[in-house]
Amino acid sequence: MTLTKIETEEQFNELLQNDTVLFFKHSLTCPVSAEAFEEYQSFIAEHSQLATAYLAVQEARPLSNYIAETFDIKHQSPQAIFFKQGKPTWNDSHWRIKNESLAENLPK
């Protein structure tokens, strides 16, 4: 499992060149986010072929805003977003980010 933290639009757009991407918005100060981050880590450990990255909202707020505005997805943290061919296919937040929900919504 490789955890990749990104902070710029350029890094994010490069990530979207992959067919399927899981992106995670993480708050460094929120206990709910810490729990969701553990679920995210568990999921990517089981799906090591999946392109994935995360941002820390406190460190990369401009990128978080860019994603929200570009894809018309209301910002939340924690938040998980699946992209397929550069377009969002699913997103959810808070306690709904579980290994099981990520597996159920993994784009085919």
Side-chain angles (χ1 to χ4, degrees):
M1 169 181 69
T2 302
L3 283 177
T4 303
K5 184 166 114 177
I6 64 174
E7 297 180 349
T8 68
E9 291 177 25
E10 292 78 22
Q11 291 170 313
F12 178 75
N13 289 326
E14 184 176 318
L15 179 68
L16 286 187
Q17 298 305 305
N18 292 282
D19 182 63
T20 303
V21 173
L22 172 58
F23 194 73
F24 187 82
K25 291 184 180 184
H26 180 44
S27 170
L28 301 172
T29 57
C30 172
V32 174
S33 192
E35 205 171 302
F37 194 68
E38 287 180 14
E39 293 285 331
Y40 163 71
Q41 290 175 306
S42 172
F43 179 77
I44 63 173
E46 297 170 10
H47 298 84
S48 59
Q49 78 290 354
L50 182 64
T52 186
Y54 75 99
L55 64 77
V57 176
Q58 292 88 336
E59 299 169 353
R61 189 60 185 208
L63 175 56
S64 181
N65 291 341
Y66 169 79
I67 294 167
E69 293 166 9
T70 302
F71 297 100
D72 196 29
I73 298 173
K74 178 183 174 190
H75 163 79
Q76 299 187 64
S77 64
Q79 184 174 41
I81 308 168
F82 274 119
F83 292 88
K84 179 77 173 174
Q85 298 177 341
K87 296 181 177 17
T89 60
W90 174 87
N91 76 88
D92 217 332
S93 65
H94 295 84
W95 295 277
R96 293 176 302 278
I97 300 171
K98 300 286 185 197
N99 189 324
E100 299 80 22
S101 64
L102 293 169
E104 289 170 6
N105 290 287
L106 177 63
K108 305 289 184 233

